[in-house]
Amino acid sequence: MLQEEAKQFLKLCYQELGKDYNDRMTKILQEISDTGTYTHTYEELAHGARMAWRNSNRCIGRLFWESMHVLDERELETEDEIANALFFHLQYGSNQGKVIPTITIFKPGYVRIFNHQLIRYAGYETKDGIIGDPDSVAFTTFCESLGWRGEQTPYDILPLVIQVENREPKVYSIPEECLLNVMIKHPTIENFQELELQWYAVPFISDMKLEIGGITYEAAPFNGWYMGTEIGARDLADEQRYNVLPKVANLLGLETTRDSTLWKDRALIELNEAVLYSFKQAGVSIVDHHTAAKQFKQFEEREAGKGRSVTGTWSWLIPPVSPAATHIFHKDYDDSVVKPNYFYQDRMY
Ligand code: HEM
Ligand SMILES: N/C(=N/c1cccc(CO[C@@H]2CCNC2)c1)c1cccs1
């Protein structure tokens, strides 16, 4: 099984790198029969992580798959060393707002990061309702069970929770210099900032596993930049998230008593325009869903040129705002799963 996965990956990887794979294949098969596993070279690891992004069916941002920076931290052993590598990744990937798509890869079978994203707001269940991000309530409660205490504001940054081997998970507050936040304001509606909306600048997904040639990296956090609708049409807009559309509509003086005034749609557009404007003003990379769709079209064309077929999940690739205004809506995609790839894994709390 591992031999087969290794063979398949190596053949394709070395073909794409323009290298002969015979010698390497022999060495790997020997290592697998000696030790039951094998260790990727940095080149195999880096190209495998990029191939996994290229194969991510639900990702609209794949045009840039070859440019991802890969930080190899497989030799780290202690929770402190790992926390410091994560603090480094936060600063390196954020790059003062000029976001660099980056992945850090830790020793397989040894490290787990409990966070869904390295930077996320806490959620608190109170008798008067939820403070903060409802999506974070379970993880926040878990952090509190480990002794962590937040300030109970709607935008508290959660700590990192790192587990090595089967030791107790350790909790680390994120240093200020690793954090970048954007206050949401509107280009023409002056009192929009009265809503006091904000969001963190850069998404770092930290709970997916990376599978390359039969080796599973359970801790391989990766960042890119946001597509505006993720924040403006989901994180801040969903009823079961920050649910701000009624507040935006009131600020805009919209008639909210009838659906047919399309007040929700108008509020959504103003909020998404404000998100894109605020990120640009703050010098933080972000892409609107029309530009992202055009970039994805370029990705499809480039892959065809390389003789590779593109797999995708239509329902995830279409943006949540004006989906039919993008080419993606008007075609269908083969949702087959190709490896290397990123996968969900069981929650640790
Ligand atoms: C560079 C800018 C990037 C943009 C604008 C982008 C955009 C997106 C968006 C909008 C989604 C859907 C998320 C959702 O609906 O919740 C997504 C999903 C995804 N992206 Fe990308 N992405 C980028 C980079 C990356 C990178 C660097 C990786 C990994 C190396 C990646 C891997 C994925 C994966 C695995 C999913 C599916 C997540 C899931 O199934 O929950 N993306 N991307
Ligand atoms: N823009 C992004 N968006 C996402 C990419 C992958 C996953 C997610 C969050 O997915 C959650 C689980 C299902 N929807 C929300 C968001 C990126 C995050 C890290 C690199 S690029």
Side-chain angles (χ1 to χ4, degrees), residues 53 56 58-59 68 222-225 227 230 316 342 344:
W53 181 9
S56 296
R58 295 169 163 184
C59 183
M68 178 164 72
F222 57 84
N223 78 277
W225 51 79
M227 181 163 83
E230 298 181 78
W316 275 67
Y342 297 97
Y344 290 159

Side-chain angles (χ1 to χ4, degrees), residues 11-306:
K11 200 158 178 298
L12 185 56
C13 176
Y14 275 58
Q15 180 196 326
E16 292 185 10
L17 294 173
K19 296 180 78 169
D20 178 83
Y21 85 111
N22 283 306
D23 298 353
R24 182 64 182 137
M25 193 68 246
T26 311
K27 261 194 72 182
I28 285 181
L29 292 178
Q30 188 58 51
E31 192 178 342
I32 292 174
S33 63
D34 293 349
T35 70
T37 185
Y38 73 101
T39 302
H40 289 122
T41 63
Y42 174 77
E43 197 180 30
E44 292 158 358
L45 185 76
H47 195 66
R50 294 177 183 126
M51 291 166 81
W53 181 9
R54 190 180 77 202
N55 292 330
S56 296
N57 287 0
R58 295 169 163 184
C59 183
I60 194 172
R62 289 181 268 172
L63 176 62
F64 307 101
W65 70 273
E66 283 176 297
S67 64
M68 178 164 72
H69 291 215
V70 180
L71 306 178
D72 180 359
E73 297 293 0
R74 289 175 289 172
E75 82 290 345
L76 301 189
E77 303 261 326
T78 72
E79 293 87 348
D80 287 3
E81 289 171 336
I82 290 160
N84 282 322
L86 293 174
F87 296 154
F88 177 81
H89 182 166
L90 286 169
Q91 290 183 288
Y92 185 88
S94 302
N95 189 32
Q96 264 94 28
K98 195 153 180 30
V99 174
I100 301 169
T102 305
I103 185 169
T104 299
I105 303 176
F106 295 101
K107 186 196 296 255
Y110 187 77
V111 189
R112 279 301 296 267
I113 299 167
F114 285 29
N115 306 61
H116 164 57
Q117 294 186 33
L118 296 183
I119 297 175
R120 232 190 171 198
Y121 300 124
Y124 308 92
E125 193 107 59
T126 77
K127 57 187 179 349
D128 313 322
I130 292 176
I131 298 172
D133 192 342
D135 241 22
S136 295
V137 168
F139 182 61
T140 303
T141 306
F142 176 73
C143 290
E144 290 174 326
S145 78
L146 297 179
W148 179 82
R149 189 98 181 91
E151 287 161 33
Q152 319 282 316
T153 81
Y155 298 106
D156 290 351
I157 297 289
L158 285 160
L160 298 182
V161 179
I162 301 163
Q163 180 181 51
V164 165
E165 288 191 302
N166 282 317
R167 295 202 284 268
E168 276 303 297
K170 289 189 74 176
V171 180
Y172 297 84
S173 292
I174 299 175
E176 269 304 308
E177 60 268 23
C178 300
L179 296 172
L180 208 49
N181 237 1
V182 179
M183 297 309 294
I184 308 302
K185 52 193 177 189
H186 192 280
T188 57
I189 302 167
E190 287 299 302
N191 51 1
F192 201 90
Q193 52 231 348
E194 285 168 19
L195 295 170
E196 294 184 338
L197 300 178
Q198 62 180 285
W199 203 256
Y200 51 92
V202 186
F204 293 78
I205 294 294
S206 48
D207 61 358
M208 295 186 83
K209 63 184 175 186
L210 164 57
E211 215 186 289
I212 303 174
I215 304 293
T216 299
Y217 297 91
E218 298 86 357
F222 57 84
N223 78 277
W225 51 79
Y226 264 122
M227 181 163 83
T229 52
E230 298 181 78
I231 303 165
R234 302 302 313 277
D235 297 330
L236 292 176
D238 283 0
E239 287 182 7
Q240 73 279 13
R241 299 292 301 283
Y242 280 79
N243 187 26
V244 304
L245 294 186
K247 297 185 189 79
V248 173
N250 288 330
L251 185 110
L252 299 175
L254 302 180
E255 170 54 64
T256 58
T257 53
R258 294 188 317 283
D259 287 340
S260 55
T261 64
L262 299 191
W263 64 271
K264 265 191 192 170
D265 311 74
R266 203 174 299 277
L268 266 171
I269 300 306
E270 297 302 348
L271 177 57
N272 278 274
E273 182 182 0
V275 167
L276 292 168
Y277 170 75
S278 305
F279 269 64
K280 276 200 185 68
Q281 275 271 5
V284 177
S285 308
I286 194 162
V287 66
D288 67 83
H289 47 295
H290 305 290
T291 304
K294 286 178 183 166
Q295 292 169 340
F296 187 66
K297 184 88 173 62
Q298 274 185 271
F299 170 70
E300 292 175 81
E301 287 157 2
R302 280 188 47 196
E303 288 301 288
K306 295 273 171 93

